[in-house]
PDB file of all heavy atoms in Angstrom:
ATOM      1  N   SER A 216     -10.535  -6.031  -3.272  1.00 97.00           N
ATOM      2  CA  SER A 216      -9.289  -5.318  -3.510  1.00 97.00           C
ATOM      3  C   SER A 216      -9.342  -3.854  -3.071  1.00 97.00           C
ATOM      4  O   SER A 216      -8.334  -3.154  -3.131  1.00 97.00           O
ATOM      5  CB  SER A 216      -8.941  -5.364  -5.003  1.00 97.00           C
ATOM      6  OG  SER A 216      -9.824  -4.539  -5.761  1.00 97.00           O
ATOM      7  N   ILE A 249     -23.309  12.664   9.703  1.00 98.00           N
ATOM      8  CA  ILE A 249     -23.372  11.209   9.749  1.00 98.00           C
ATOM      9  C   ILE A 249     -24.820  10.764   9.586  1.00 98.00           C
ATOM     10  O   ILE A 249     -25.131   9.856   8.823  1.00 98.00           O
ATOM     11  CB  ILE A 249     -22.792  10.687  11.085  1.00 98.00           C
ATOM     12  CG1 ILE A 249     -21.335  11.127  11.238  1.00 98.00           C
ATOM     13  CG2 ILE A 249     -22.917   9.167  11.158  1.00 98.00           C
ATOM     14  CD1 ILE A 249     -20.767  10.888  12.624  1.00 98.00           C
ATOM     15  N   ASP A 250     -25.703  11.432  10.300  1.00 97.00           N
ATOM     16  CA  ASP A 250     -27.149  11.235  10.185  1.00 97.00           C
ATOM     17  C   ASP A 250     -27.804  12.434  10.852  1.00 97.00           C
ATOM     18  O   ASP A 250     -27.162  13.160  11.630  1.00 97.00           O
ATOM     19  CB  ASP A 250     -27.586   9.933  10.876  1.00 97.00           C
ATOM     20  CG  ASP A 250     -29.010   9.529  10.498  1.00 97.00           C
ATOM     21  OD1 ASP A 250     -29.179   8.876   9.447  1.00 97.00           O
ATOM     22  OD2 ASP A 250     -29.938   9.882  11.246  1.00 97.00           O
ATOM     23  N   CYS A 259     -24.622   3.873  15.621  1.00 97.00           N
ATOM     24  CA  CYS A 259     -23.562   3.594  14.645  1.00 97.00           C
ATOM     25  C   CYS A 259     -22.208   3.563  15.341  1.00 97.00           C
ATOM     26  O   CYS A 259     -21.390   2.669  15.091  1.00 97.00           O
ATOM     27  CB  CYS A 259     -23.588   4.654  13.551  1.00 97.00           C
ATOM     28  SG  CYS A 259     -22.292   4.482  12.314  1.00 97.00           S
ATOM     29  N   ILE A 263     -19.434   0.294  15.486  1.00 95.00           N
ATOM     30  CA  ILE A 263     -18.110   0.309  14.847  1.00 95.00           C
ATOM     31  C   ILE A 263     -16.984   0.649  15.823  1.00 95.00           C
ATOM     32  O   ILE A 263     -15.842   0.838  15.402  1.00 95.00           O
ATOM     33  CB  ILE A 263     -18.086   1.303  13.661  1.00 95.00           C
ATOM     34  CG1 ILE A 263     -18.284   2.737  14.160  1.00 95.00           C
ATOM     35  CG2 ILE A 263     -19.146   0.935  12.626  1.00 95.00           C
ATOM     36  CD1 ILE A 263     -18.173   3.787  13.064  1.00 95.00           C
ATOM     37  N   LYS A 296      -3.749  34.328  23.913  1.00 98.00           N
ATOM     38  CA  LYS A 296      -4.930  33.506  24.174  1.00 98.00           C
ATOM     39  C   LYS A 296      -6.084  33.954  23.278  1.00 98.00           C
ATOM     40  O   LYS A 296      -6.390  35.136  23.182  1.00 98.00           O
ATOM     41  CB  LYS A 296      -5.338  33.607  25.634  1.00 98.00           C
ATOM     42  CG  LYS A 296      -6.573  32.784  25.998  1.00 98.00           C
ATOM     43  CD  LYS A 296      -6.967  32.979  27.440  1.00 98.00           C
ATOM     44  CE  LYS A 296      -8.185  32.147  27.813  1.00 98.00           C
ATOM     45  NZ  LYS A 296      -9.396  32.558  27.069  1.00 98.00           N
ATOM     46  N   THR A 317     -35.559  17.899   3.051  1.00 94.00           N
ATOM     47  CA  THR A 317     -34.924  16.745   3.695  1.00 94.00           C
ATOM     48  C   THR A 317     -33.561  17.082   4.313  1.00 94.00           C
ATOM     49  O   THR A 317     -32.835  16.196   4.734  1.00 94.00           O
ATOM     50  CB  THR A 317     -34.730  15.598   2.680  1.00 94.00           C
ATOM     51  OG1 THR A 317     -33.899  16.048   1.599  1.00 94.00           O
ATOM     52  CG2 THR A 317     -36.077  15.144   2.123  1.00 94.00           C
ATOM     53  N   LEU A 358     -41.635  25.569   5.567  1.00 97.00           N
ATOM     54  CA  LEU A 358     -41.025  24.316   6.012  1.00 97.00           C
ATOM     55  C   LEU A 358     -40.729  24.320   7.514  1.00 97.00           C
ATOM     56  O   LEU A 358     -40.205  23.339   8.053  1.00 97.00           O
ATOM     57  CB  LEU A 358     -39.735  24.051   5.229  1.00 97.00           C
ATOM     58  CG  LEU A 358     -39.905  23.761   3.734  1.00 97.00           C
ATOM     59  CD1 LEU A 358     -38.551  23.717   3.036  1.00 97.00           C
ATOM     60  CD2 LEU A 358     -40.663  22.456   3.519  1.00 97.00           C
ATOM     61  N   ALA A 394     -10.104  35.715  14.077  1.00 98.00           N
ATOM     62  CA  ALA A 394      -9.686  35.251  15.404  1.00 98.00           C
ATOM     63  C   ALA A 394      -9.020  36.411  16.126  1.00 98.00           C
ATOM     64  O   ALA A 394      -8.081  37.028  15.599  1.00 98.00           O
ATOM     65  CB  ALA A 394      -8.714  34.083  15.284  1.00 98.00           C
ATOM     66  N   GLY A 399      -3.450  40.511  19.325  1.00 98.00           N
ATOM     67  CA  GLY A 399      -3.716  40.850  17.930  1.00 98.00           C
ATOM     68  C   GLY A 399      -4.895  40.088  17.357  1.00 98.00           C
ATOM     69  O   GLY A 399      -5.660  39.425  18.072  1.00 98.00           O
ATOM     70  N   LEU A 401      -6.234  37.863  13.671  1.00 98.00           N
ATOM     71  CA  LEU A 401      -5.960  37.228  12.388  1.00 98.00           C
ATOM     72  C   LEU A 401      -7.280  37.049  11.665  1.00 98.00           C
ATOM     73  O   LEU A 401      -8.294  36.722  12.283  1.00 98.00           O
ATOM     74  CB  LEU A 401      -5.303  35.851  12.586  1.00 98.00           C
ATOM     75  CG  LEU A 401      -3.911  35.840  13.217  1.00 98.00           C
ATOM     76  CD1 LEU A 401      -3.565  34.437  13.703  1.00 98.00           C
ATOM     77  CD2 LEU A 401      -2.864  36.330  12.220  1.00 98.00           C
ATOM     78  N   GLY A 418     -13.815  54.287  -8.200  1.00 94.00           N
ATOM     79  CA  GLY A 418     -13.551  53.642  -6.925  1.00 94.00           C
ATOM     80  C   GLY A 418     -12.127  53.153  -6.831  1.00 94.00           C
ATOM     81  O   GLY A 418     -11.410  53.067  -7.844  1.00 94.00           O
ATOM     82  N   ILE A 425     -16.510  38.119  -5.452  1.00 97.00           N
ATOM     83  CA  ILE A 425     -16.091  36.912  -4.739  1.00 97.00           C
ATOM     84  C   ILE A 425     -16.742  35.692  -5.386  1.00 97.00           C
ATOM     85  O   ILE A 425     -17.705  35.806  -6.149  1.00 97.00           O
ATOM     86  CB  ILE A 425     -16.446  36.992  -3.243  1.00 97.00           C
ATOM     87  CG1 ILE A 425     -17.965  37.052  -3.036  1.00 97.00           C
ATOM     88  CG2 ILE A 425     -15.762  38.178  -2.599  1.00 97.00           C
ATOM     89  CD1 ILE A 425     -18.387  36.996  -1.573  1.00 97.00           C
ATOM     90  N   GLY A 450      -1.500   5.199   6.676  1.00 94.00           N
ATOM     91  CA  GLY A 450      -0.935   5.212   8.020  1.00 94.00           C
ATOM     92  C   GLY A 450       0.028   6.341   8.268  1.00 94.00           C
ATOM     93  O   GLY A 450       0.779   6.329   9.254  1.00 94.00           O
ATOM     94  N   ASP A 457     -12.719  13.360  12.549  1.00 97.00           N
ATOM     95  CA  ASP A 457     -13.108  11.964  12.622  1.00 97.00           C
ATOM     96  C   ASP A 457     -14.568  11.807  13.048  1.00 97.00           C
ATOM     97  O   ASP A 457     -15.324  12.778  13.088  1.00 97.00           O
ATOM     98  CB  ASP A 457     -12.170  11.204  13.556  1.00 97.00           C
ATOM     99  CG  ASP A 457     -12.180  11.765  14.983  1.00 97.00           C
ATOM    100  OD1 ASP A 457     -13.075  12.562  15.324  1.00 97.00           O
ATOM    101  OD2 ASP A 457     -11.290  11.389  15.762  1.00 97.00           O
ATOM    102  N   ALA A 475     -32.940  28.038  19.628  1.00 98.00           N
ATOM    103  CA  ALA A 475     -33.745  28.916  18.774  1.00 98.00           C
ATOM    104  C   ALA A 475     -35.234  28.730  19.038  1.00 98.00           C
ATOM    105  O   ALA A 475     -36.015  29.687  18.954  1.00 98.00           O
ATOM    106  CB  ALA A 475     -33.422  28.653  17.309  1.00 98.00           C
TER     107      ALA A 475
END
Side-chain angles (χ1 to χ4, degrees):
S216 71
I249 300 169
D250 194 85
C259 177
I263 65 176
K296 180 183 181 296
T317 60
L358 293 172
L401 295 164
I425 64 174
D457 60 13

